[in-house]
């Protein structure tokens, strides 16, 4: 009795779930037992949704976001500002920025950031295709919206250098004290940045809902 | 653009994951994107493990625990005490009790507890088969190890009444202050129980590793 599980089938299922990030073996067992209580059709629906996604997933030919069509809904939306391109790591940032309803431009999904430790170099990312988009001339401004980490910084500088030969403005999202955060608890780097990058103030200034 | 997801395939996969207990939509998306980064074979392994478990799972004919064989490893282990049967809700309690290495008897897995609110009555549980096991005469003591909840209590009393006609001792696991817990922070019900059910003390008493 080396295995704590009374069944190899059960153990396999738990092992598969426990491979997912943030899922430990106890949680994996709880999830597997939940699935086991569902009908066979429901378990098949669950399994099929994953396999179908993996087999049939498509990426937008323009921004490389996950898409069901050749060109995604954002890139094909004529009311959006084609001259503005926001560079993000992956689809989760696209969804977060779309949720703000503040950005009316297009995106460019890199599919990761440069991270030598994980063996991810510039050629593994959609950087060449970003340069091609800029080269085509329609893009006036590229906004960098990557993580504020060493890898994000490296990627920012790499992209900046690659775009320098072209007539395009490169900007980066503002870093500062979060709306709702108390100044006294902000970390020094963030607070320092938010003072350096202060913005003009007048009577029309509103923190929320400008 | 009603859906926040740029792909129906992606949305389906996220929806399926979000049906699992304790998995919200953000976590579901994170898990699905993780699977999407794996190879097709790995995603198929994941999906197949769940479907295979659901299709081929077997339950021990004796204790009703999940098992790969007709009779599970615990029930077929001749070195265990066949006269002692511990009644538990499901496989997770079996694994927790096995981890203590303190119990050498067999189990009886009810498959749930009586819960009128969830529509679970005695006939949905393995109670009749427990009575049959007791009736066969080999069982000398039944230990109730169900949750200390209203439903657990109801189930305890139901089983107790069903077993009364037979020559079997019915006991219940001790409730008291957890080992390592401070008395001052124990809740009143637990502390009251641990005083009522005090045990004899002598020089040989050791809290851990008796």
């Amino acid at each position: 009795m080396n295995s704590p599980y009374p069944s190899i089938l059960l153990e396999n299922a738990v092992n598969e779930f426990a491979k997912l990030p943030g899922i430990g073996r106890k949680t994996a067992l709880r999830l597997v037992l939940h699935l086991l209580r569902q009908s066979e059709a429901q378990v098949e629906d669950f399994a099929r949704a994953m396999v179908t996604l993996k087999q049939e997933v498509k990426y937008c030919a323009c921004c490389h976001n996950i898409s069901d069509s050749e060109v995604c809904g954002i890139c094909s939306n004529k009311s959006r500002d084609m001259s503005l391109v926001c560079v993000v790591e992956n689809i989760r940032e696209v969804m977060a920025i779309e949720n703000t309803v503040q950005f009316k431009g297009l995106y460019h999904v890199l599919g990761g950031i440069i991270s030598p430790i994980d063996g991810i170099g510039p050629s593994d990312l959609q950087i060449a295709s970003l340069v091609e988009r800029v080269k085509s001339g329609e893009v006036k401004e590229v906004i960098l919206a990557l993580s504020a980490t060493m890898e994000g910084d490296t990627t920012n500088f790499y992209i900046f250098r690659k775009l320098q030969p072209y007539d395009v403005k490169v900007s980066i999202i503002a870093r500062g004290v979060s709306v709702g955060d108390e100044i006294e608890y902000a970390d020094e780097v963030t607070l320092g940045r938010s003072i350096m990058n202060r913005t003009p103030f007048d009577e029309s200034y509103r923190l929320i809902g400008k």
Side-chain angles (χ1 to χ4, degrees), chain A:
Chain A
M1 305 255 289
N2 301 315
S3 158
Y5 302 98
S7 151
I8 290 165
L9 296 173
L10 179 71
E11 189 172 2
N12 282 345
V14 170
N15 286 343
E16 287 293 339
F17 252 109
K19 283 179 192 166
L20 298 174
I23 306 281
R25 303 192 68 80
K26 280 210 170 180
T27 305
L29 177 61
R30 194 163 52 83
L31 298 177
V32 168
L33 292 178
H34 174 87
L35 277 177
L36 201 49
R37 281 195 299 273
Q38 311 308 307
S39 70
E40 200 169 312
Q42 282 171 313
V43 175
E44 277 166 5
D45 285 347
F46 175 85
R48 197 180 313 110
M50 306 307 144
V51 173
T52 308
L53 172 66
K54 180 63 194 175
Q55 286 173 342
E56 297 177 15
V57 69
K58 284 202 278 284
Y59 296 91
C60 172
C62 178
C63 73
H64 308 289
N65 195 6
I66 294 171
S67 168
D68 286 339
S69 44
E70 181 72 12
V71 175
C72 78
I74 294 173
C75 288
S76 60
N77 184 343
K78 292 292 168 213
S79 72
R80 297 191 71 124
D81 184 353
M82 313 270 175
S83 70
L84 202 56
V85 170
C86 182
V87 175
V88 294
E89 197 178 324
N90 67 43
I91 184 180
R92 287 154 76 192
E93 283 82 45
V94 173
M95 288 173 64
I97 296 174
E98 282 298 284
N99 275 341
T100 69
V101 204
Q102 297 287 319
F103 181 67
K104 289 294 158 211
L106 305 185
Y107 295 91
H108 193 87
V109 179
L110 295 181
I113 44 179
I114 297 172
S115 174
I117 250 181
D118 302 314
I120 301 172
S123 59
D124 301 312
L125 306 175
Q126 294 291 350
I127 294 179
S129 62
L130 174 64
V131 175
E132 285 305 313
R133 274 179 92 173
V134 167
K135 224 189 249 180
S136 76
E138 204 168 45
V139 182
K140 300 273 172 290
E141 180 175 354
V142 168
I143 305 173
L144 300 169
L146 302 179
S147 312
T149 58
M150 188 71 86
E151 290 80 13
D153 263 1
T154 308
T155 314
N156 284 335
F157 280 108
Y158 184 89
I159 292 174
F160 179 69
R161 275 213 319 273
K162 285 281 171 193
L163 295 182
Q164 258 185 330
Y166 306 100
D167 179 28
V168 66
K169 189 174 150 192
V170 179
S171 59
I172 186 161
I173 57 164
R175 304 285 180 184
V177 180
S178 292
V179 176
D181 262 15
E182 297 190 45
I183 308 256
E184 97 180 275
Y185 298 120
D187 70 279
E188 312 83 74
V189 179
T190 301
L191 190 53
R193 276 271 196 133
S194 74
I195 289 171
M196 268 168 50
N197 300 330
R198 60 195 175 278
T199 51
F201 180 90
D202 63 29
E203 290 108 348
S204 71
Y205 182 87
R206 295 286 178 281
L207 201 52
I208 299 159
K210 206 168 175 174

